[in-house]
Structures are given as structure tokens and as C-alpha cells.
Amino acid sequence: YPRLRVVVSGRSSIDHPMRFVIPEEIELAELDQSAAVGLLESCGVTDPAVARVLADRVGGHPLSLKLAARAAALAASEAEGTEELIRSLPARRDEFFRRVDQMLVQGVLYDRILHHIADPDVRRLAHPGLVLRVITPEIIKEVLAEPCGLRVRTPEEAARLFDELSRLDLVEPAGPGAVRHRADVRAIMLRLPGSDHTDVMRIVERRAVDYYAARDGLEERAEEIYHRLRLGENPRTVEERWLPGVERFLGGARQDMPQRAVALLTAKLGGDAPNQVMADADQEDWERIAAREVEDLLTQGFAEAAFTRLGERRPWTPCSPLHSLLAET
């Protein structure tokens, strides 16, 4: 049947020999802001300004946006409307955002996932484990168990918990003897400032830094860098831990990071940096990103735009590439 085409849809990439003969793989990323605003408006958020604020707050995942719209509708039914809440006193606005966050936490994590985990020990691991990109029996024993209030003394106990965790809809395979949390759920939960496990999660991440720092290998070093950046360590200190080759393990990490860390990753990995990232970037990272942008502008003949970009943040560091680019511009 020469006109027959097969479309396979799922929540993760294809971990199967057939992936080598699939002509095209399309990842459905988060919606951009205009599409996110459109979805919110279709779900009943009638004011475009409110929709933009909510989209910036919760990101572009459709489930997050639908739950945020539901929270906005509940708030509007109890007050003068979401427009008034958004534009009113900071305390009322913060309360509105807190309710949006709570709706997301309850809707995405508790009601849909954690509530259905029968084993209480596994349930205690599931939420704090969201901060880890990979979970193995050894990581459960050395990193995750103690902050979650569990005593895992033997590899056998760790293996049992890992087997139970790996059966959950919350996780997906990440290689032999390893799982990771589903990317869609993880992206939502890591964005939320109102998580009730924040302190535990930070302890888990600090233990993860110690765990990976004591091991050799590019993937281990990449995980160490990942957690240092998420903990808000100085990008210059983190950069001292950088090794050539860790880039391929950090390609999708920017969505999990604060803006200052995103700037370092963008400077190292390439790509575009939104204005907010550039505003929060350390001077060294700003200069590296700006240098690439100026080079691109000059290649296309936009010297005036390049000159404008070069003048946005001074003074430059002594060895900045922008000095020679200014002369060329």
C-alpha cells in the first residue's frame, strides 16, 4: 500500500529498533506565548492582558494552561474578576497566583498521580524525586531516600523501591536500570514556586551534587553542573567544573533553570536568549551571547543593529570579544 503512512504518538521518544527506520520524528514542544494566550482565551480567560500574565506564569504546557484557566475562573467568581485581581494590590495579586500554583500542584501531581500510588514509601520518593533527571537504585539509596524520611540500608531495599517506582505512570525508561520522570509532568512541577516539598527538594539536589562530584565521566559531570545551576550557584564557579563534551547532556536543561543559569547555558551551548535572560545574565555570559548576535548581524550587513547591541551594557570585561567586534562594526 504505497500511500499508507503510519503515525506513532506517545509521551516519550521511541526506544525501539524501529526508530532507525522512522523517516521523521516530531516533538511537540510547549506552546509559544501567542498560542498559550489563545488557549487560555478559548478556556474562558477573556482579558488578553490577564491571559498573557498567566501564560508567563505557568508556561506553555496545555494541561498547565487549562488548570490555570480553571483557577482564574474560580477566582473571578469570588471577586470583581481576574482583571481586577491582576491589577490590584500586590497582596491580592500574590494570593491569586498562589491559588493558580495550588491548582496546578493539586491538578497535575496529587489528584492525577500521587493519590494513586499504593506504596507509601514510593509515594514519599515520587515528588522530591522530580528534581532528579535520572533515578537508579543507587541514587535512591545514596541521594533520595534520607531526605524523604526513609532508611534504605541495603541495595536490595533500594532495588525494591526502584522496581515499584519504575511501574508508575509518572516515570519512563532512561536506559538500563534507570528511569526518569515524565518530561511533561516534570516541566510543570519544576516551574511551580508553591511546591510544599521545596526544602526537601533542595536537600536532594545538594546531595545529588555531592554524589555526582565524586564520580568520573562526562554524564556525571553534566548532572553535577545541572544541579549546581538549579541551586543558584555562581555561574563563574560552576563554569570551573565544565568539561568539553558535557554540552550534549545539557541540551534540554534550560527550561528547568533560573534566568541567570539559562544565560550561562546559552553562552556555552548557543541559541537565542530572550530579553529577560540577557537582563539577568552575568557580564561574561552577556558578552558571549552578544558577540554571537553581533557576528550574525554583521554577516547579514546590519551594522547599525550590531552597534546598538554593543552599546547596551558597559563596561566590558578586559578580554571581551566585543572589543574587536566594535572595531569591525
Side-chain angles (χ1 to χ4, degrees):
Y1 300 95
R3 297 182 62 186
L4 177 66
R5 299 292 182 270
V6 177
V7 177
V8 181
S9 173
R11 284 194 300 259
S12 60
S13 58
I14 299 175
D15 185 19
H16 186 278
M18 277 296 291
R19 70 183 184 275
F20 297 112
V21 299
I22 293 174
E24 185 175 14
E25 186 172 355
I26 303 172
E27 179 181 356
L28 296 182
E30 291 191 354
L31 302 176
D32 60 25
Q33 189 189 50
S34 61
V37 168
L39 179 57
L40 286 166
E41 291 175 341
S42 73
C43 292
V45 181
T46 56
D47 188 293
V50 175
R52 284 193 295 273
V53 170
L54 284 174
D56 289 340
R57 178 76 174 184
V58 305
H61 194 283
L63 176 58
S64 294
L65 294 164
K66 290 177 181 178
L67 291 168
R70 190 186 306 169
L74 289 173
S77 67
E78 299 172 6
E80 296 86 346
T82 51
E83 297 88 347
E84 174 62 25
L85 282 168
I86 291 293
R87 301 187 179 100
S88 62
L89 296 173
R92 297 186 67 203
R93 189 166 57 247
D94 291 345
E95 172 63 16
F96 170 68
F97 285 137
R98 187 193 66 78
R99 294 185 60 177
V100 171
D101 293 338
Q102 186 179 43
M103 174 73 78
L104 289 173
V105 172
Q106 292 177 345
V108 177
L109 191 66
Y110 294 116
D111 290 347
R112 293 172 65 92
I113 296 169
L114 294 188
H115 179 71
H116 301 289
I117 299 176
D119 190 319
D121 290 344
V122 176
R123 192 183 309 129
R124 293 166 79 174
L125 294 174
H127 189 182
L130 281 164
V131 296
L132 300 170
R133 297 204 297 177
V134 177
I135 299 176
T136 66
E138 184 177 0
I139 288 175
I140 288 176
K141 182 175 182 292
E142 301 296 333
V143 176
L144 191 55
E146 186 175 317
C148 296
L150 300 176
R151 298 185 65 182
V152 179
R153 301 180 181 86
T154 67
E156 290 73 23
E157 291 180 54
R160 182 193 69 80
L161 289 170
F162 175 81
D163 288 342
E164 293 294 327
L165 186 67
S166 64
R167 294 191 183 100
L168 300 181
D169 184 51
L170 180 66
V171 303
E172 59 192 19
V179 296
R180 58 174 168 249
H181 280 79
R182 272 173 35 198
D184 54 350
V185 175
R186 190 169 186 272
I188 297 170
M189 298 309 301
L190 291 184
R191 185 180 280 117
L192 298 178
S195 169
D196 59 352
H197 283 62
T198 299
D199 292 339
V200 175
M201 287 177 167
R202 290 187 67 83
I203 295 171
V204 170
E205 293 211 74
R206 178 52 57 192
R207 289 172 66 92
V209 167
D210 296 338
Y211 174 84
Y212 285 113
R215 285 157 176 79
D216 296 325
L218 288 178
E219 190 168 1
E220 287 75 11
R221 183 62 61 89
E223 294 305 310
E224 176 197 342
I225 289 170
Y226 173 88
H227 289 292
R228 286 187 186 277
L229 288 174
R230 274 192 42 83
L231 286 165
E233 292 191 13
N234 189 316
R236 305 283 67 80
T237 303
V238 177
E239 193 172 18
E240 294 175 0
R241 301 292 295 165
W242 200 275
L243 289 176
V246 299
E247 295 86 354
R248 63 192 176 98
F249 299 108
L250 293 169
R254 276 174 274 205
Q255 66 179 5
D256 304 339
M257 299 289 174
Q259 304 285 26
R260 191 182 180 199
V262 172
L264 171 64
L265 291 176
T266 303
K268 289 286 191 181
L269 307 179
D272 297 328
N275 290 336
Q276 187 57 53
V277 170
M278 293 295 277
D280 294 341
D282 281 15
Q283 182 67 24
E284 294 89 338
D285 297 325
W286 184 93
E287 290 176 6
R288 293 173 187 169
I289 299 168
R292 282 201 302 267
E293 293 179 356
V294 169
E295 289 173 350
D296 290 342
L297 290 168
L298 292 178
T299 299
Q300 299 173 66
F302 298 118
E304 290 186 9
F307 191 76
T308 299
R309 180 55 116 180
L310 287 167
E312 288 180 0
R313 192 190 280 197
R314 298 280 189 94
W316 301 330
T317 56
C319 297
S320 172
L322 299 183
H323 294 288
S324 60
L325 284 170
L326 176 60
E328 182 180 349
T329 303

